[in-house]
Amino acid sequence: MTVYLSSIVGSASIGVYSLATESIVMIPRMVPKKKAQEFADWLEVKLAYTSISGSVLIGALACVNSNGMLLPNSIREEELTEIRSVFDGTITLMETKKTAFGNLVLTSDKGAVADPRLKEADIKKIAEALGVEVLQTEIAGLPYVGSLATATNKGVLAHPLLKDEERKILEQAFKVPVDVGTINCGIPYVGTGLIANSRSAVAGSMTTGPEMFIIGNALDVVQEVE
């Protein structure tokens, strides 16, 4: 149970390029396989070594918990094959013009919140795909909730300007404590630089010691610099 530091393709914004659940971590193929496997070892999960629709922006494009995965309908067959080789949940291709489901939805195995601009039909499909109740809210007055927080089955870390009414909705949705903080030396868009599950967390390489301490407490993982 640890907080690790790393980068992906030379960027500390690791949450844009990767995502993690209780069972898998998805890392783009342009990352050396040895380094990608290191992420999997840290998080104690299987590695999905792939792209999404030919893009390295996995964390922005995909949304996943242990029950299911949301993907843009432009996903390629070979990418689906790789994902299915390690992921046992339901895979749902979203037939919408929107593609950045990692930004639009924040989920754990206990619940989810989504961009308040999404239509009711989309929310219903997301809830069915992820197997959890989906509430709509902003975080810090902004709609792209997936980039504004990181959620696990043990805690949520959100943008430091989180409003009280937004915190209540997050607590209702995820049924865990909600805290606020930053990553990568003051960046408030937590989801862009932090991936985690209930065992470990990996933060962007520019994340400071005090930020790691807050991450460790919020997500209930032990701080340890690697």
Side-chain angles (χ1 to χ4, degrees), residues 9-210:
V9 297
S11 172
S13 298
I14 62 170
V16 175
Y17 299 99
S18 65
L19 58 78
T21 73
E22 294 299 303
S23 60
I24 67 167
V25 62
M26 298 176 68
I27 304 287
R29 283 188 173 272
M30 65 185 304
V31 175
K33 184 71 174 285
K34 183 178 179 181
K35 182 172 185 178
Q37 185 59 50
E38 194 172 46
F39 274 70
D41 293 343
W42 288 341
L43 294 160
E44 300 178 33
V45 295
K46 296 178 181 178
L47 170 65
Y49 192 49
T50 185
S51 53
I52 300 292
S53 304
S55 172
V56 299
L57 304 179
I58 291 173
L61 293 172
C63 177
V64 58
N65 64 10
S66 295
N67 304 317
M69 183 181 300
L70 304 173
L71 294 171
N73 60 12
S74 55
I75 187 82
R76 297 173 179 177
E77 192 58 42
E78 64 270 22
E79 296 167 340
L80 276 175
T81 298
E82 168 65 17
I83 292 168
R84 286 184 174 127
S85 72
V86 296
F87 182 65
D88 296 328
T90 302
I91 296 176
T92 301
L93 306 186
M94 298 294 288
E95 302 289 336
T96 71
K97 292 181 180 179
K98 296 181 175 65
T99 59
F101 295 101
N103 290 340
L104 297 170
V105 184
L106 176 70
T107 190
S108 74
D109 295 345
K110 296 185 176 183
V113 295
D115 188 321
R117 300 170 297 181
L118 289 174
K119 297 178 181 178
E120 184 177 346
D122 292 330
I123 296 299
K124 184 177 180 181
K125 190 169 185 179
I126 291 167
E128 290 174 352
L130 298 176
V132 294
E133 182 183 11
V134 181
L135 304 180
Q136 290 178 273
T137 185
E138 294 179 333
I139 293 177
L142 300 169
Y144 25 93
V145 291
S147 64
L148 294 161
T150 296
T152 74
N153 295 341
K154 294 167 71 175
V156 176
L157 184 69
H159 190 293
L161 296 182
L162 180 73
K163 300 175 182 178
D164 287 343
E165 58 269 28
E166 296 167 346
R167 182 191 294 269
K168 291 177 182 177
I169 294 172
L170 292 180
E171 289 173 342
Q172 179 184 348
F174 293 106
K175 303 170 184 65
V176 294
V178 176
D179 205 345
V180 297
T182 58
I183 43 87
N184 287 326
C185 201
I187 301 298
Y189 298 89
V190 174
T192 67
L194 177 66
I195 63 172
N197 59 23
S198 63
R199 293 179 291 276
S200 301
V202 186
S205 56
M206 294 176 64
T207 300
T208 66

